[in-house]
Amino acid sequence: MFHLAGGAALAGLPAWAAPPGAPPKPGNVLSPDAALERLMQGNTRYVEGLTRRHDFATERAVLAQGQNPLAGILSCADSRVAPEFAFDSYRGDLFVVRVAGNFVNEDNLASFEYAVAELSTPLLMVLGHGKCGAVAATIASLRDGTTLPGHLPSLVQQLRPAVEEAQSEPGDLLHNAIRDNVRLNVARLRDASPILSAAVAQRRLRVVGGVYDLATGRVDVITV
């Protein structure tokens, strides 16, 4: 199932140089720690405005053969947060799932199980961001005792544990709730059995959190 692990020796090759039978992007065959380092190097380039040129035409031919992303990202659906840009990544590098409030549910958990079990993805990151509207709306709904319209109460239910935890903490409630929500969902992914928890125990997978600063573009890594 984890058929890509043997390709680590090919990590120095460019993606288009993959020999027959190798992963589509040999450079993405990384340890969990190396994958995190690659992500953060990309974020540094993004923050500094030194992003790389992307050759989309060449990438298409490579990725038509398959995928082996170096990281899975659970991101908020906020239009101001784009993981592919924030980490200056190429196509085929990130396996991204987005939902307002960046929380784990059965559907996105199954998506990440697929990424880890079938694509040998070595790293998962829960990526929150400053001034998150979903968390702010949850705070207001709980504070005022109001019910949001439509299906929005389902978001409140998912984000409620983080808001309640943050209420006992000093400092800004929204800031704390955003970070607590990231931490709680990192724990949910890390402990999800049978697939993710086993991969973590075998050190084939690392799960971390991050908070994206809207003003600077910098991602602050949170480990749990």
Side-chain angles (χ1 to χ4, degrees):
M1 181 175 292
F2 296 95
H3 55 282
L4 299 185
L10 302 173
L13 293 175
W16 56 87
K25 303 192 75 172
N28 283 358
V29 181
L30 299 167
S31 70
D33 289 346
L36 179 59
E37 183 179 0
R38 172 88 69 82
L39 274 190
M40 299 316 297
Q41 288 172 345
N43 181 242
T44 296
R45 291 193 302 271
Y46 171 73
V47 169
E48 295 176 352
L50 301 174
T51 52
R52 300 170 299 188
R53 180 184 181 275
H54 295 272
D55 185 354
F56 295 122
T58 300
E59 287 177 347
R60 289 192 198 102
V62 172
L63 295 174
Q65 308 308 312
Q67 61 171 322
N68 62 303
L70 65 93
I73 310 291
L74 175 56
S75 173
C76 185
D78 192 295
S79 64
R80 299 167 293 179
V81 182
E84 293 86 352
F85 291 146
F87 296 109
D88 189 29
S89 62
Y90 292 105
R91 287 181 305 174
D93 287 350
L94 302 183
F95 189 92
V96 180
V97 176
R98 303 185 68 170
V99 60
N102 46 271
F103 59 82
V104 177
N105 60 21
E106 287 191 7
D107 295 327
N108 57 42
L109 173 57
S111 295
F112 289 124
E113 288 178 332
Y114 171 78
V116 172
E118 296 298 327
L119 306 179
S120 296
T121 301
L123 177 72
L124 299 180
M125 175 182 280
V126 178
L127 183 63
H129 66 93
K131 302 179 182 179
C132 181
V135 177
T138 299
I139 291 173
S141 177
L142 296 178
R143 180 192 62 217
D144 302 335
T146 58
T147 300
L148 299 178
H151 293 83
L152 290 172
S154 66
L155 294 181
V156 172
Q157 193 63 28
Q158 292 285 353
L159 300 174
R160 180 174 189 148
V163 172
E164 291 180 340
E165 184 170 315
Q167 286 172 341
S168 62
E169 300 168 354
D172 182 77
L173 177 58
L174 177 58
H175 172 83
N176 292 338
I178 288 168
R179 297 179 73 86
D180 286 343
N181 183 52
V182 168
R183 291 190 186 95
L184 288 172
N185 284 286
V186 166
R188 288 173 185 168
L189 286 177
R190 182 196 59 205
D191 299 338
S193 60
I195 294 173
L196 301 188
S197 60
V200 170
Q202 295 163 12
R203 297 186 178 181
R204 291 184 287 102
L205 174 68
R206 184 176 177 185
V207 186
V208 300
V211 177
Y212 177 88
D213 187 293
L214 293 175
T216 68
R218 189 174 302 280
V219 173
D220 178 24
V221 175
I222 297 174
T223 57
V224 177

